[in-house]
């Protein structure tokens, strides 16, 4: 467990340095919301392309730890290059191209590490949340270092730090437990990850993946625009404030070990959706009273929202999907949530920002209120449509 936890720590620490700082960094350099949107679109576009294919290769051709290692090394070079060209004052498109390439290479790393972990843990439902805590600690510590040690909330230093940690993680991945491919297929359909779409024939799988995509749309606003709202309210250490979400994530991860054995998947997913509504309602409150109180409380709920949804989702798939398709299933989750959902969401929340905040149509209050209302509708649809029926081809 120790090596897996360390790998999660390094994997979480890298984006923890630059993700919370990205919007404010680009804004301070004079880029408008369109450049911010394209920078944030790199992840969703990448999630449409690489996680499913890479997961299929790991299921059928290459050892998982070797795939992880090479993804980490290559993406670290691209990430460092992206912030270097930004530092040198190159045109925005050069930075964006490198960010897109980095995202395409690194996008499968989260789902790959989840699959490797579950292949070696004796009890995934009890042990995986504890191992996954490494990423939470890594992200939180990176945010604190960015704000209080590096003073890099608005500088490219946060990007350089992220690239350095990613490089270290790439080397560390080669020392993960050996995870040979469990499958033997050589068909192009399988190697491209197309077999994973058969999971959508199950009603609950279809509802689950659809809700993951829909929920990811309003959630795209969290790291993209919450730091901007904090900065407008006078918070000069927004990266550290955003780390409050990782503090609650620690609590949520510890609770997951027992919650998964006591409650149905539907209950935990519904709880995550409900807390997401409350989070954005609190953000809207900050928009009304002009203080950071609602934002800080809402950010503190992030860990519960994220953990109760995505960690439950990953364990749900590991429980229901045949072993030879588990990396592909995790890749399919990345495609629906981090790809389709986040892609549409990133564009939509930027347009809503221009309308509500820049265009002063209710400002931050209406911005967050609209997103909260969207999640309410998603929650109602999930509760009505998800039945919790056992799969016709159970994995165990």
């Amino acid at each position: 467990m120790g090596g897996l936890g360390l790998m999660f720590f390094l994997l979480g620490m890298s984006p923890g340095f630059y993700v919370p700082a990205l919007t404010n960094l680009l804004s301070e350099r004079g880029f408008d919301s369109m450049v911010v949107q394209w920078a944030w679109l790199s992840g969703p576009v990448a999630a449409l392309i690489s996680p499913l294919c890479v997961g299929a290769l790991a299921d059928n051709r290459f050892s998982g730890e070797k795939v992880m290692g090479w993804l980490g090394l290559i993406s670290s070079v691209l990430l460092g290059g992206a912030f270097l060209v930004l530092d040198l004052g190159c045109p925005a498109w050069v930075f964006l191209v490198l960010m897109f390439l980095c995202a395409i290479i690194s996008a499968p790393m989260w789902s790959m590490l989840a699959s490797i972990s579950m292949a070696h843990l004796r009890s995934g439902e009890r042990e995986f949340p504890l191992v996954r805590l490494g990423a939470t600690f890594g992200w939180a510590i990176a945010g604190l270092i960015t704000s209080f040690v590096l003073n890099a909330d608005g500088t490219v230093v946060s990007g350089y730090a992220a690239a350095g940690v990613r490089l270290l993680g790439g080397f560390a991945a080669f020392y993960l437990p050996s995870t040979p491919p469990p499958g033997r297929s050589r068909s192009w359909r399988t190697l491209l990850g197309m077999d994973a779409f058969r999971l959508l024939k199950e009603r609950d799988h279809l509802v689950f993946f659809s809700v993951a995509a829909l929920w990811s749309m309003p959630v795209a606003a969290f790291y993209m625009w919450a730091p901007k709202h904090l900065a407008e309210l006078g918070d000069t250490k927004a990266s550290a404030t955003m780390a409050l979400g990782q503090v609650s994530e620690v609590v949520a991860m510890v609770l997951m070990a027992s919650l998964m054995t006591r409650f149905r998947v539907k209950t935990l997913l519904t709880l995550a959706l409900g807390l997401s509504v409350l989070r954005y309602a609190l953000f809207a409150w900050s928009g009304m009273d002009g203080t950071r109180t609602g934002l800080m409380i809402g950010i503190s709920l992030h860990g519960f929202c994220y953990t109760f949804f995505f960690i439950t989702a990953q364990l749900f798939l590991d429980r229901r999907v045949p072993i030879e398709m588990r990396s592909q299933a995790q890749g399919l989750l990345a495609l629906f949530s981090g790809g389709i959902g986040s892609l549409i969401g990133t564009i939509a929340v930027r347009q809503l920002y221009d309308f509500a905040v820049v265009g002063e149509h209710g400002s931050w209050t209406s911005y967050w209120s609209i997103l909260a209302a969207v999640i309410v509708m998603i929650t109602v649809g999930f509760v009505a449509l998800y039945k919790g029926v056992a799969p016709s081809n159970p994995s165990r």
Side-chain angles (χ1 to χ4, degrees):
M1 286 179 60
L4 293 169
L6 175 61
M7 190 63 219
F8 267 115
F9 178 85
L10 295 173
L11 189 59
M13 195 176 206
S14 180
F17 275 115
Y18 78 90
V19 167
L22 185 59
T23 296
N24 289 338
L25 167 61
L26 294 176
S27 296
E28 288 193 18
R29 287 180 171 261
F31 295 116
D32 60 19
S33 65
M34 183 62 74
V35 174
V36 173
Q37 170 189 290
W38 279 105
W40 282 95
L41 279 175
S42 60
V45 170
L48 291 173
I49 299 171
S50 54
L52 198 58
C53 296
V54 173
L57 289 172
D59 278 339
N60 293 279
R61 294 294 294 270
F62 303 110
S63 294
E65 77 280 2
K66 294 179 180 178
V67 174
M68 277 288 298
W70 284 110
L71 292 177
L73 295 179
I74 297 171
S75 64
S76 69
V77 174
L78 293 168
L79 184 61
F83 283 93
L84 176 61
V85 300
L86 194 63
D87 197 13
L88 294 174
C90 296
W93 69 265
V94 182
F95 167 74
L96 294 173
V97 167
L98 288 171
M99 285 295 286
F100 269 77
L101 292 174
C102 173
I104 290 170
I105 298 298
S106 64
M109 294 182 72
W110 287 96
S111 56
M112 280 294 306
L113 188 53
S115 296
I116 292 172
S117 299
M118 292 177 190
H120 294 281
L121 296 174
R122 293 182 179 179
S123 175
E125 292 184 357
R126 288 195 299 268
E127 295 177 328
F128 179 69
L130 301 179
V131 170
R132 177 58 176 72
L133 263 178
T136 304
F137 284 121
W139 191 298
I141 291 171
L144 295 174
I145 292 174
T146 298
S147 289
F148 297 117
V149 179
L150 302 176
N151 293 314
D153 282 87
T155 76
V156 296
V157 173
S158 59
Y160 293 149
V165 171
R166 178 70 59 79
L167 183 66
L168 182 61
F171 285 117
F174 289 108
Y175 295 94
L176 288 171
S178 178
T179 312
R184 295 289 184 270
S185 177
R186 294 295 184 268
S187 74
W188 282 107
R189 175 182 172 83
T190 299
L191 295 178
L192 289 175
M194 296 298 102
D195 287 346
F197 287 95
R198 291 184 301 180
L199 296 173
L200 302 180
K201 293 180 180 179
E202 296 283 352
R203 174 195 169 98
D204 280 350
H205 287 167
L206 179 60
V207 173
F208 163 74
F209 282 112
S210 298
V211 168
L214 292 170
W215 183 64
S216 296
M217 294 177 191
V219 168
F222 180 69
Y223 277 111
M224 188 174 178
W225 294 112
K228 180 71 171 177
H229 193 179
L230 284 169
E232 289 190 5
L233 293 177
D235 191 341
T236 60
K237 304 292 184 182
S239 293
T241 303
M242 294 297 289
L244 288 172
Q246 278 63 55
V247 174
S248 64
E249 194 173 319
V250 171
V251 178
M253 288 288 185
V254 173
L255 290 175
M256 281 297 296
S258 61
L259 292 178
M260 279 298 295
T261 60
R262 296 184 181 183
F263 296 98
R264 299 172 60 204
V265 166
K266 182 175 183 177
T267 301
L268 293 176
L269 293 177
T270 303
L271 178 59
L273 294 169
L275 289 173
S276 299
V277 174
L278 177 59
R279 174 178 60 180
Y280 281 174
L282 287 165
F283 284 8
W285 174 35
S286 273
M288 285 190 292
D289 72 358
T291 69
R292 298 195 295 269
T293 304
L295 273 166
M296 295 180 72
I297 298 174
I299 291 168
S300 297
L301 291 177
H302 169 72
F304 296 102
C305 301
Y306 178 88
T307 302
F308 291 161
F309 194 92
F310 281 111
I311 303 304
T312 298
Q314 290 179 318
L315 293 170
F316 164 81
L317 292 175
D318 184 66
R319 177 193 296 173
R320 293 174 62 105
V321 174
I323 188 171
E324 68 274 9
M325 289 186 63
R326 287 179 185 167
S327 292
Q328 296 173 69
Q330 299 292 345
L332 189 65
L333 175 62
L335 185 149
F336 271 82
S337 58
I340 297 171
S342 293
L343 175 66
I344 298 173
T346 298
I347 296 172
V349 299
R350 194 276 301 174
Q351 292 178 335
L352 180 60
Y353 169 80
D354 283 349
F355 173 79
V357 181
V358 178
E360 298 184 349
H361 292 91
S363 196
W364 289 110
T365 302
S366 61
Y367 182 79
W368 297 117
S369 296
I370 291 170
L371 295 178
V374 171
I375 302 177
V376 168
M377 292 186 287
I378 295 169
T379 305
V380 172
F382 173 71
V383 171
L385 297 174
Y386 184 88
K387 301 301 182 184
V389 179
S392 58
N393 294 304
S395 59
R396 295 173 185 163

